[in-house]
Structures are given as structure tokens and as C-alpha cells.
Amino acid sequence: MLLLAGGNSSSPNSLSQEEERIFQYIDGHQDEFVQNLAGWVAVESDSIQPHLRAEVTRMVKIAAASLQDLGASVMLRDTGIQQLPSGQNISLPPVILAKLGEDPLKPTVCFYGHVDVMPAKIQDGWKTSPYNLTEIDGNLFGRGTTDDKGPVLAWINAVKTFKALNIEIPVNIKFLIEGMEEAGSIGLEELVEKEKEHFFSDVNYIVISDNIWLSTTKPALTYGTRGNACFSVQVECGEKDLHSGSVGGIVHEAMSDLIALLDSLVNSCGHILVPGIYDDVAPLTEEEKKQYELIEFDLKEYKASIGVKEIIYDTKEEIFSHLWCLPSLSIHGIEGAFYEPGIKTVIPSRVIGKFSIRQVPHMDLSKMECQVKRYLERIFSKRKSSNKLTVSMEMGAKPWVANINDPQYEAAKKAIQKVFNQDPDMIRDGATIPIARMFQDITKKSVMMFPIGAADDGEHSQKEKISRFPCTTNFISVF
């Protein structure tokens, strides 16, 4: 939900006079905060489509100006050039490195967020204009509202609240904000490596707000994500497409081979059929089982939030373990096949299947790549096809797990208890957020994921939204 700047004045928890002032300020300025979000949503900062690169850069500069207005020291760091598949080179948008406060007696918290978005067009099925913030019953619809412009603004608004009320911020704050997250954070790893002895040298904690709660009403803290390995399976049967009436039945068809290969990867219960794939999966710990018991989970609400009638498993323990602690395999599409309305009776000369495996801690990427290739080659050989098979892993991102007893997790729990009068769900995320593992590996700092979006926020969807609601300010104040 939209932590526009912080607390909840209706919370039954006892509030200090200072906290009362903070919450009153937020209540009185929510419309202003929403208007700022509307201005950010209006920028079509789609990092996937190269022709919109100038808009991404414009959005980064808008965010930088917002930080400068807070009194932060802001640097825009160049991250180089991106080479497109066509061979064309285009500039990457700059990355914001900003800092506010240098008190050696205070801890330093670095917030990470991104201001680029996924593509969105009204013809994709949006009921509202994706780049025109639309409020319906307290829900703010628009591309980037929950992923990730809204959360970035939440942190800026939290600091703005402290500054406006002349209340001392109890931590030094740094910001790293990028504009290429949706396109794979190109160039960011090299920058973080360069800055680990400089910008990150005095950072104690890194906070990422780029995911969602498990519930629509109860906040959560995230301590782990799965990795992701993306594969392509290419089958070639000739130099050109063929007429199915002329040669159908006398040639080995690429599409038939590909469908058989994809069908061999996973069964109807979601179990991956590649031999050895589960060998290195860490068993579920007793501590984690206890965490599952504490999580409030409404199966009916969950199915409604993801838009399906049934899911494979019935209990929350089975659902959580398969989402967070076990690998999954998903098939995403086929390139080279006819997909438009109508019928085209062609035998494609080359087709490429796309699938990915979400891996969990202790699974080795290179080992898994070999297992997948060896298995598909064996299945293909059994078909005795004369076609050519090529299997490749296009991208690999590692899973991430944090220590939930780190001080910043304790601080975040206290903030949520203060604002919502309840403990947060301690969850993992079945998705992949490579930046968390990258920060952890390179900087060696404590990393926490502090989700702001609710389970029904629909990130990347045609119904992306964020709702008016509070809490970031209190996280800062209790650190």
C-alpha cells in the first residue's frame, strides 16, 4: 500500500507528541503527495523500448531534483552505453547517488529504488490510461504506481515530512535510484563495484522497496527471493518455412519436436522432471515452519488477487514452500510460430521455446544449466529427429536470503507494530530481485526488502495500482 510518507493517525498505539505531529502532517498533505505521484506517472519512462530512453533519463532527472529539494547532495553517475540487437548504441540513463546527513554517530541507511517502468498501452487492456494517474475508491491506478515510482516517492515524502516539521532525522540517508531495472539493471553492477569503497563505505544498512505484501491488508517484511535462470530451446528443420500440404508427414517438424521437449520439462503438479534438479535444494527449517504458522493467509482472497479459480495446493504450508523454498519451471512462449488470428498452414523452419527456472538457495546455476541441457538433448535423441537442437541459458540470477534478526529488520518490525498495531508477516518472495543479492555480495552490507505494495497491486499488469496508506516515516524514526 502507498506509504505516502509514514504513519497512521488512527493507530490505537500510544503516540508521542512528535509522532502525532508527523501523522497530522501526512494526513494534511496526502493530496499533495498524490499529485506528485501523478506527475511521475505521466512520464513514460519505459526502459524496455529504446525509443523512450530520453523519457527514462528525464524521469531520473526529475527524481534527482526532488532529492535536491530536500537538501540532499546528488550525483548523476554515467553507466555507459547499451548495444541493441540491431548493433545500434544508445546511452544508458544516469544513476542517482544521493546523501543526506553525515553524522558519524548515526547509522547510515541506503535506500534503493527505480523510476523506470514496464511497457503499457491502453490497447493492452487497461481500463484507465496507464500514464494518467486515476483514483478510484482510494486506489491510484497507473503504470509505475507500485513498481516502483510510488515506493520511491514514499521515501522522499517521509524525509520531506521530517524536514517540514524541523524534526531531526535519526539516521543518515543515502539514495541509489536507477532507470534500467525493468531492463535488467544494465551497468549497475559495475557502478556498485566501483562505489563499494566510496559511496557504500559508511553505509550500515541497505533497504529495497520493490516488491509487495502477501496480503491486501497486513504488512510484511521480505527476507528472501528466488533466483531465475532463463532458457531458450531452438529447433531448426530447414532453410525456409514449408507448406504443410506439400511436405507434411514426410519431414521431422521443428514445432512438433519443440512441443515434445517443452512438455517433458514439468508435470501437471508443477514438479520439474529434469533429473537432479532438486538434489541441492535446502530442506525447510523448523524456524521457517514456525514463521509459516504465524502468517495470516486467506486462500480465497489470494486466489482472487491473482485472478485464478484454483491452485495446485490446498494448505498455506504447501503453497509457501513451493513459492519460496522449492524451484519452479514456467514455459513462457514460442518464437517463430504463427500466433495471429486465423489459420496459416505453414511448417515453420525454426522455432524457439522460452522457459525459466526459479531456483532457490544452494542450487548452483552452472550445474543446473548442464542438467537441463543434458536432459533435453537426451529427450531429443529419443525422437530420432533429423532436426538441429540448440539449448542455451540466456540469463541467470541468483537467489537471496537475509538474516531476519539484523537490526534493520527489528527496526522495521517496531515501525509496523507502531503504525498497524500488529506484527508483520515475515515472508520470502517467489520472484527474483537480482539487486538484493548483488548488493549483499558486493558491499557485504545488511540488505532488507521492505515492501510497500499490497498483494492486489498488480505490478506489471493492466490494473497496476497503489492505495492510500502509511508507514515509512515511522521506520526511519525507530532506527
Side-chain angles (χ1 to χ4, degrees):
M1 291 200 172
L2 181 56
L3 312 186
L4 281 171
N8 184 348
S9 56
S10 63
S11 170
N13 282 326
S14 58
L15 300 175
S16 68
Q17 190 175 20
E18 199 169 73
E19 288 169 337
E20 286 282 7
R21 290 176 62 211
I22 290 170
F23 297 156
Q24 287 171 5
Y25 182 91
I26 293 160
D27 288 343
H29 290 79
Q30 274 211 20
D31 287 343
E32 174 191 328
F33 297 153
V34 170
Q35 202 57 42
N36 289 340
L37 179 60
W40 282 32
V41 168
V43 181
E44 196 173 350
S45 51
D46 171 357
S47 59
I48 304 296
Q49 300 185 77
H51 73 276
L52 291 170
R53 185 58 48 83
E55 286 295 276
V56 179
T57 299
R58 182 164 76 94
M59 186 65 247
V60 170
K61 290 180 178 178
I62 290 172
S66 297
L67 292 170
Q68 287 172 330
D69 289 344
L70 296 177
S73 171
V74 178
M75 294 185 294
L76 291 175
R77 292 296 305 272
D78 178 51
T79 51
I81 299 294
Q82 177 187 9
Q83 186 173 63
L84 303 178
S86 64
Q88 177 189 0
N89 290 328
I90 60 172
S91 296
L92 292 166
V95 171
I96 297 171
L97 298 181
K99 61 180 179 180
L100 189 66
E102 295 184 275
D103 189 336
L105 300 180
K106 295 178 180 178
T108 298
V109 178
C110 178
F111 166 74
Y112 164 85
H114 65 91
V115 291
D116 62 311
V117 298
M118 290 291 283
K121 296 179 180 178
I122 191 73
Q123 54 264 41
D124 293 338
W126 285 77
K127 302 298 184 185
T128 60
S129 175
Y131 296 104
N132 181 18
L133 190 71
T134 304
E135 183 165 2
I136 303 173
D137 298 329
N139 296 313
L140 306 164
F141 290 90
R143 177 59 89 223
T145 49
T146 199
D147 185 17
D148 189 37
K149 292 178 179 180
V152 171
L153 265 175
W155 282 86
I156 291 175
N157 290 333
V159 175
K160 184 177 182 179
T161 300
F162 274 85
K163 302 280 281 187
L165 296 174
N166 200 28
I167 297 174
E168 181 182 1
I169 299 174
V171 294
N172 303 311
I173 300 179
K174 290 190 171 185
F175 292 85
L176 188 157
I177 300 173
E178 66 159 321
M180 287 297 291
E181 192 273 346
E182 302 292 7
S185 295
I186 303 169
L188 187 62
E189 184 170 356
E190 292 80 3
L191 178 63
V192 173
E193 189 72 53
K194 289 177 184 175
E195 292 291 340
K196 68 179 178 181
E197 303 297 338
H198 305 287
F199 182 77
F200 291 100
S201 62
D202 59 348
V203 169
N204 301 101
Y205 309 105
I206 298 173
V207 182
I208 300 169
S209 292
D210 190 21
N211 64 317
I212 57 175
W213 302 347
L214 184 64
S215 164
T216 58
T217 57
K218 187 180 181 184
L221 293 173
T222 304
Y223 64 93
T225 63
R226 290 193 290 189
N228 196 16
C230 298
F231 289 87
S232 68
V233 187
Q234 177 176 285
V235 182
E236 294 180 83
C237 67
E239 297 178 353
K240 60 184 180 181
D241 291 352
L242 299 172
H243 192 294
S244 63
S246 300
V247 298
I250 64 168
V251 297
H252 292 116
E253 298 187 16
M255 183 68 84
S256 299
D257 284 341
L258 179 61
I259 296 300
L261 291 168
L262 295 177
D263 185 55
S264 74
L265 290 168
V266 61
N267 69 15
S268 61
C269 293
H271 185 81
I272 302 172
L273 301 176
V274 178
I277 207 80
Y278 292 94
D279 289 354
D280 297 326
V281 173
L284 193 63
T285 66
E286 289 302 316
E287 182 182 9
E288 196 138 30
K289 289 178 183 177
K290 290 177 182 177
Q291 291 289 349
Y292 290 0
E293 293 172 5
L294 298 173
I295 295 173
E296 294 179 15
F297 183 73
D298 185 317
L299 181 58
K300 185 177 179 181
E301 178 189 271
Y302 180 73
K303 287 190 288 189
S305 72
I306 63 174
V308 300
K309 293 182 179 180
E310 296 296 335
I311 55 178
I312 296 172
Y313 302 100
D314 298 322
T315 69
K316 67 178 182 180
E317 291 78 10
E318 288 178 307
I319 292 167
F320 297 159
S321 63
H322 281 85
L323 273 179
W324 302 341
C325 299
L326 289 170
S328 65
L329 189 151
S330 300
I331 297 169
H332 306 297
I334 296 175
E335 180 183 336
F338 179 68
Y339 63 92
E340 296 174 0
I343 298 173
K344 183 181 180 182
T345 56
V346 69
I347 298 173
S349 62
R350 184 187 67 157
V351 286
I352 305 172
K354 314 288 181 69
F355 70 93
S356 68
I357 298 176
R358 301 278 179 173
Q359 78 271 20
V360 295
H362 304 300
M363 292 178 70
D364 181 83
L365 267 174
S366 58
K367 179 179 177 181
M368 184 178 66
E369 180 182 8
C370 291
Q371 290 170 330
V372 169
K373 287 182 176 179
R374 187 164 55 242
Y375 175 68
L376 287 176
E377 287 165 357
R378 179 165 61 83
I379 296 296
F380 186 70
S381 68
K382 287 182 177 180
R383 290 182 60 80
K384 301 188 183 304
S385 172
S386 60
N387 295 330
K388 180 183 177 182
L389 171 68
T390 306
V391 182
S392 57
M393 188 173 80
E394 304 293 336
M395 183 192 79
K398 297 177 181 178
W400 163 78
V401 177
N403 181 359
I404 62 173
N405 297 313
D406 278 353
Q408 65 173 339
Y409 274 95
E410 295 301 320
K413 288 177 192 176
K414 289 178 183 177
I416 290 169
Q417 289 162 352
K418 172 70 73 172
V419 173
F420 295 95
N421 198 33
Q422 61 182 324
D423 292 324
D425 286 331
M426 301 302 296
I427 66 172
R428 293 200 201 185
D429 194 319
T432 305
I433 302 181
I435 190 72
R437 178 65 181 262
M438 187 226 296
F439 278 141
Q440 191 176 69
D441 286 350
I442 296 176
T443 70
K444 310 301 181 186
K445 308 293 183 178
S446 170
V447 178
M448 178 180 73
M449 293 190 66
F450 188 97
I452 289 177
D456 62 350
D457 274 3
E459 73 275 43
H460 292 193
S461 80
Q462 300 93 330
K463 295 182 179 180
E464 182 177 355
K465 60 90 179 170
I466 202 164
S467 306
R468 291 181 182 251
F469 221 87
C471 163
T472 308
T473 299
N474 234 38
F475 170 62
I476 295 174
S477 67
V478 298
F479 223 106

